[in-house]
Amino acid sequence: MPKKLSGGGLSPTQQAAKFLGVSVLAGAVMAGIALPAAGALGLAAKGSVQGFDEIPDNLKSPALSQRTTILDSQGGQIATVYSRDRTVVDLKKISPYMQKAIVAIEDSRFYQHGAVDLKGILRAVNQNAQNGGVAQGASTLTQQLVKNYFVEEAGDDPTKVAQATQQTLGRKIRELKYAIQLEEKLGKKKILENYLNITFFGEQAYGVEAAAQRYFSKPAKDLNLQQSALLAGIVQSPSRYDPVNDEAEAIKRRNTVLQRMAEVHDISPQEADAAQNAKLDLKVSQPKNGCITAVKGASFFCRYVENVFLTDPVFGKTKEDRAKVWNQGGLTIRTTLDPQSQKSVQDSIKSHVNKSDSVATAATLVEPGTGKIVGMGQSRPYGYGKNETEYNYSVDRDMGGSNFGFPTGSTFKPFVAAAALEEGLPATQEYSAPYKMSYPSPVQTCGKPWTNQQSETLSNESESEKGPYPLKTAMAKSVNTYFVQMISDIGICPVVKLTDKLHVVQGNGDKLPEVPAITLGSKGIAPLTMASAYATFASRGMYCTPIAIESITQQVDGKQKSLEVPKSTCTRAMSEKTADTVNTLLSGVIDSGTGQQAGLTDRDNAGKTGTTDERRNAWFVGYTPNLAGAVWVGSPKQNVKMTGITIGGVYHSLVYGGEVPGPIWKDAMTGALVGKDSPSFNLIDIPDPVRDHDDEGDDGGPDDGGPGGGDDRGNTISGNNGSNGNGGGLPTPSFSIPEGFIQGQNGTGGRHR
């Protein structure tokens, strides 16, 4: 039995067996080398050769995971995201110093040997025997490349990574066979290129290009001698030789590489001495990964793009397929985000709402006729600290938003009006619209009629608000009882059929309930949903599904290929006449109704205000013929009543949809539309009623809070508004609930103006 060394290591014979056994048993080296310890390896030569032959011959270079770059519509960078920070580059874009340094320290005979280096093995055996342990390995760069392939294929699965790196004879045999294949298939230069692109250099940097940027803030082609030696030295142990955390150890390792480069005559002794005396001279760039680093306040839009990729079947049949492509990266994603519109949204939000305020705001801009999302922002930035959030208040739960969206208040009323017009009601339709009334009963639904089993009632804002009113006035003044009478007249089914065409669903994805209170905006809906629905009015009845991605290219094997992306689907949701009529009605809201503070002065525009029970939510949703936007203000947890409140440094005794969200919308739209065309609506003539309504004037002045004023003040409604088993909501909770769990769930949320 061979003797062990005093230090407990293997004897030279055993070490020779350890290094040579694999090659001999694999049949790759048959040069008459003695194998006295073959039995100690626990394998018969015959069995090993059979196992070697059974290894599949189809090793493929894995598609290396790389960073993904997300761009705005003009090509400006929004953010980079990656599973592994890597940028694959050609060998000609890697400094010659770097190429020589990695070969010198890792495999100095790289260009002289094949897949296995027998001289290197013997040298390692001798060195290890002298040291009494394993001080030097003998894997070639090609073998190391194969090992890295295994690790890359394992991804972030710890079990697979362990299997890919386990020190077993079986893995070594597979590694050797594939190394032989690579030598035959790729050649030395391509092997070196692949190795430098795949290997890990520490500090989250994979591949030499990312490493050069991380440590020296320069491309790999510009690395000098000492910088190249430093990076080459890191590879053996990225944590031990990390120059950021242990400068002395890193310098020591760098100088070892320089000495080795001199020994193999890659550089002169004088060059080695000069480089060894040089300082590290690091210029570290911190890793910038993920949507949290997005510029222009576009973090939430960035996350929306990511969620689109991970959920849309166009990018893969299964969730796993899509995640694999996303994690592989190498994508360049050009989005629909317009930098001018995005800046305007963010500037407007910052000027009106502070991130530390007790309430938040979210704003989204959409292009009518295309569905393109051109702006998206909110007052609480993306993050996990104080006054930050990971919830995107503009979108549905399945796209990273709150669980339920937010009650919309009277911004829902235009949908009821549009449904009534589609049913044939005239634009001059008049209802008695008393100050207070019981919910009509029964009311027809798409199924069993709704009945007012608990004698529930509703009222308008003030006692002076009593009809009869025509539609034009009722819309401008946002008269609750008018629209409840309208929905009783036409039934609830036409309304939900229209909202289905407009893709208006609750924030959790559920359809809207068939109850009369639907007209008062009692259910939570996301701002993006509302903006896209209102864009249908702007485009004369054509609804277009929202899109965020214009194009995607992916780098694979050094080549760029285009990926298919989701397209907006545009369908007719209502007639042009209906849309034109609604545009005329909502122009009146801005001209003389509840939205006067939001009106634009230089172009046609229309919109609607909304305020919910106890002023927990305030909205303004509006549009021009070429841009639509929705603005919500409120508490994400729905636990703040916006009375006697300071928002953005301005005190408000009562918050109205036209007073806080309206100006945010106005400023965001104004900046977004600078330099853009100013098309006109196709307005229609809606005759005024013969009757003269004394209370239609400026009795209290619009938005001044006086009786009869054209504001969007909240209303008091008794009862649960349809909570008798017919799908109505629950009373507004008076306690705090964690963000993301109730946002907009309370069904009494929107009665109002």
Side-chain angles (χ1 to χ4, degrees):
M1 178 177 180
K3 296 180 180 180
K4 287 188 177 181
L5 299 177
S6 59
L10 298 177
S11 69
T13 302
Q14 288 176 313
Q15 291 183 39
K18 180 175 181 179
F19 284 100
L20 299 178
V22 173
S23 299
V24 176
L25 297 177
V29 181
M30 304 297 288
I33 302 176
L35 190 62
L41 292 173
L43 287 171
K46 181 179 179 181
S48 299
V49 173
Q50 288 176 339
F52 183 85
D53 291 339
E54 291 168 0
I55 297 173
D57 291 325
N58 59 348
L59 174 68
K60 294 182 179 179
S61 302
L64 301 184
S65 58
Q66 302 180 69
R67 69 174 64 182
T68 284
T69 303
I70 300 178
L71 309 174
D72 62 32
S73 63
Q74 302 301 312
Q77 182 171 304
I78 296 173
T80 57
V81 298
Y82 49 79
S83 173
R84 292 182 176 174
D85 186 10
R86 175 189 284 120
T87 301
V88 176
V89 294
D90 294 334
L91 192 62
K92 62 185 179 182
K93 293 185 178 180
I94 300 173
S95 165
Y97 285 125
M98 186 67 221
Q99 298 178 42
K100 293 178 180 179
I102 199 72
V103 169
I105 196 63
E106 290 294 322
D107 185 2
S108 60
R109 287 178 27 80
F110 175 64
Y111 292 104
Q112 284 76 50
H113 62 66
V116 64
D117 181 13
L118 293 182
K119 288 186 178 180
I121 291 174
L122 294 174
R123 182 187 69 250
V125 169
N126 181 61
Q127 184 66 42
N128 293 337
Q130 293 179 14
N131 292 336
V134 181
Q136 190 175 113
S139 291
T140 63
L141 278 182
T142 311
Q143 289 172 285
Q144 292 182 49
L145 176 60
V146 172
K147 180 180 177 180
N148 275 293
Y149 280 177
F150 295 157
V151 172
E152 187 72 19
E153 289 287 358
D156 296 322
D157 187 322
T159 301
K160 292 182 178 179
V161 171
Q163 292 172 350
T165 57
Q166 62 185 338
Q167 296 298 318
T168 64
L169 189 57
R171 185 186 68 77
K172 284 290 186 181
I173 291 174
R174 291 179 64 235
E175 180 183 288
L176 178 61
K177 179 167 185 176
Y178 289 140
I180 294 171
Q181 289 182 22
L182 291 184
E183 287 278 346
E184 295 175 348
K185 179 181 179 181
L186 300 181
K188 294 294 186 180
K189 287 188 176 181
K190 191 64 177 178
I191 288 172
L192 180 59
E193 176 185 297
N194 289 0
Y195 178 82
L196 285 169
N197 277 307
I198 198 173
T199 198
F200 181 51
F201 287 87
E203 292 288 329
Q204 301 182 38
Y206 289 81
V208 68
E209 180 68 17
Q213 294 289 353
R214 180 75 73 253
Y215 295 108
F216 302 109
S217 299
K218 62 168 57 175
K221 66 181 180 65
D222 294 335
L223 292 170
N224 62 27
L225 173 57
Q226 56 265 32
Q227 291 167 343
S228 297
L230 178 75
L231 296 186
I234 290 174
V235 171
Q236 185 182 86
S237 180
S239 58
R240 178 181 176 183
Y241 301 125
D242 182 354
V244 176
N245 296 305
D246 195 335
E247 181 176 325
E249 193 70 17
I251 290 177
K252 181 179 178 182
R253 176 63 176 170
R254 179 200 67 180
N255 291 347
T256 298
V257 175
L258 291 167
Q259 182 61 37
R260 184 60 181 159
M261 292 179 73
E263 290 173 357
V264 298
H265 308 295
D266 283 332
I267 59 175
S268 68
Q270 293 76 20
E271 288 176 306
D273 289 341
Q276 286 175 337
N277 291 323
K279 296 180 179 179
L280 284 185
D281 198 23
L282 297 179
K283 189 178 180 182
V284 178
S285 297
Q286 294 301 317
K288 292 184 178 180
N289 176 32
C291 291
I292 196 171
T293 66
V295 299
K296 305 171 186 174
S299 292
F300 293 100
F301 178 78
C302 175
R303 284 301 306 274
Y304 180 80
V305 169
E306 179 179 346
N307 284 322
V308 167
F309 196 100
L310 295 175
T311 57
D312 198 304
V314 75
F315 298 114
K317 292 183 178 180
T318 68
K319 179 180 178 181
E320 291 72 21
D321 291 339
R322 296 187 291 271
K324 184 176 181 180
V325 177
W326 180 262
N327 290 331
Q328 179 182 325
L331 307 169
T332 299
I333 303 176
R334 185 180 287 264
T335 70
T336 59
L337 195 74
D338 172 52
Q340 176 180 327
S341 298
Q342 180 64 17
K343 182 179 186 302
S344 185
V345 166
Q346 286 302 119
D347 288 347
S348 179
I349 288 172
K350 289 180 180 179
S351 67
H352 291 284
V353 183
N354 298 328
K355 68 177 184 178
S356 59
D357 286 343
S358 60
V359 295
T361 187
T364 297
L365 303 183
V366 175
E367 187 176 86
T370 67
K372 294 179 181 179
I373 303 169
V374 298
M376 179 182 287
Q378 61 191 54
S379 57
R380 292 184 183 169
Y382 185 87
Y384 306 96
K386 185 178 180 181
N387 301 319
E388 297 177 337
T389 182
E390 61 181 311
Y391 290 103
N392 183 347
Y393 301 144
S394 289
V395 302
D396 290 342
R397 178 179 63 187
D398 63 351
M399 299 303 288
S402 66
N403 273 9
F404 301 103
F406 306 103
T408 58
S410 291
T411 58
F412 195 90
K413 288 173 180 173
F415 304 145
V416 178
L421 293 168
E422 287 287 280
E423 289 295 296
L425 265 67
T428 55
Q429 179 68 37
E430 189 173 278
Y431 291 108
S432 62
Y435 161 65
K436 186 176 182 179
M437 62 178 283
S438 296
Y439 273 98
S441 182
V443 178
Q444 187 61 50
T445 70
C446 296
K448 181 181 178 181
W450 179 89
T451 57
N452 189 359
Q453 297 175 9
Q454 298 180 12
S455 300
E456 295 160 1
T457 63
L458 75 154
S459 65
N460 296 326
E461 169 65 18
S462 68
E463 293 187 16
S464 66
E465 285 185 359
K466 53 187 177 182
Y469 287 124
L471 175 56
K472 185 177 180 180
T473 304
M475 184 68 78
K477 295 172 70 67
S478 199
V479 180
N480 292 328
T481 57
Y482 178 96
F483 287 94
V484 169
Q485 287 183 313
M486 174 175 274
I487 209 169
S488 173
D489 192 359
I490 67 172
I492 302 172
C493 197
V495 177
V496 296
K497 285 185 176 179
L498 177 64
T499 54
D500 284 349
K501 292 179 181 178
L502 296 175
H503 295 226
V504 175
V505 296
Q506 297 180 67
N508 62 359
D510 290 349
K511 292 187 63 173
L512 298 171
E514 295 186 45
V515 295
I518 189 177
T519 190
L520 305 177
S522 59
K523 291 300 179 181
I525 299 172
L528 174 58
T529 301
M530 293 298 290
S532 298
Y534 270 57
T536 307
F537 300 136
S539 59
R540 305 191 72 195
M542 293 297 293
Y543 172 82
C544 297
T545 55
I547 57 169
I549 300 174
E550 293 266 26
S551 65
I552 299 180
T553 58
Q554 184 176 32
Q555 185 179 34
V556 179
D557 295 331
K559 299 179 181 178
Q560 294 285 342
K561 70 172 184 177
S562 296
L563 300 185
E564 184 181 355
V565 299
K567 303 296 183 183
S568 179
T569 302
C570 297
T571 55
R572 179 153 295 282
M574 65 189 73
S575 69
E576 288 187 353
K577 180 180 179 182
T578 293
D580 291 344
T581 304
V582 172
N583 294 340
T584 304
L585 294 170
L586 297 187
S587 294
V589 172
I590 285 179
D591 290 341
S592 59
T594 61
Q596 292 182 66
Q597 287 180 270
L600 306 179
T601 58
D602 62 340
R603 61 185 65 231
D604 281 8
N605 61 117
K608 186 72 185 75
T609 58
T611 311
T612 69
D613 270 357
E614 301 179 298
R615 287 178 166 76
R616 295 177 187 268
N617 302 275
W619 286 76
F620 189 87
V621 188
Y623 54 94
T624 67
N626 54 348
L627 189 62
V631 177
W632 161 83
V633 175
S635 165
K637 299 178 183 179
Q638 295 289 278
N639 61 351
V640 176
K641 301 175 184 179
M642 291 185 287
T643 58
I645 188 173
T646 297
I647 303 175
V650 178
Y651 176 80
H652 302 273
S653 58
L654 296 172
V655 168
Y656 310 128
E659 180 183 288
V660 180
I664 296 174
W665 179 88
K666 180 179 182 177
D667 291 349
M669 293 284 286
T670 298
L673 289 168
V674 169
K676 305 292 176 64
D677 292 339
S678 180
S680 301
F681 288 130
N682 293 277
L683 300 180
I684 65 169
D685 179 41
I686 302 177
D688 290 326
V690 175
R691 186 184 300 104
D692 215 2
H693 294 282
D694 293 335
D695 58 347
E696 288 180 32
D698 293 329
D699 298 359
D703 291 321
D704 69 356
D711 60 23
D712 65 320
R713 295 164 289 171
N715 300 284
T716 301
I717 301 178
S718 60
N720 288 331
N721 301 296
S723 60
N724 57 358
N726 291 279
L730 301 172
T732 303
S734 60
F735 51 88
S736 175
I737 296 180
E739 179 182 0
F741 277 85
I742 83 138
Q743 300 181 5
Q745 177 63 5
N746 54 297
T748 61
R751 326 268 178 234
H752 333 303
R753 310 225 203 162

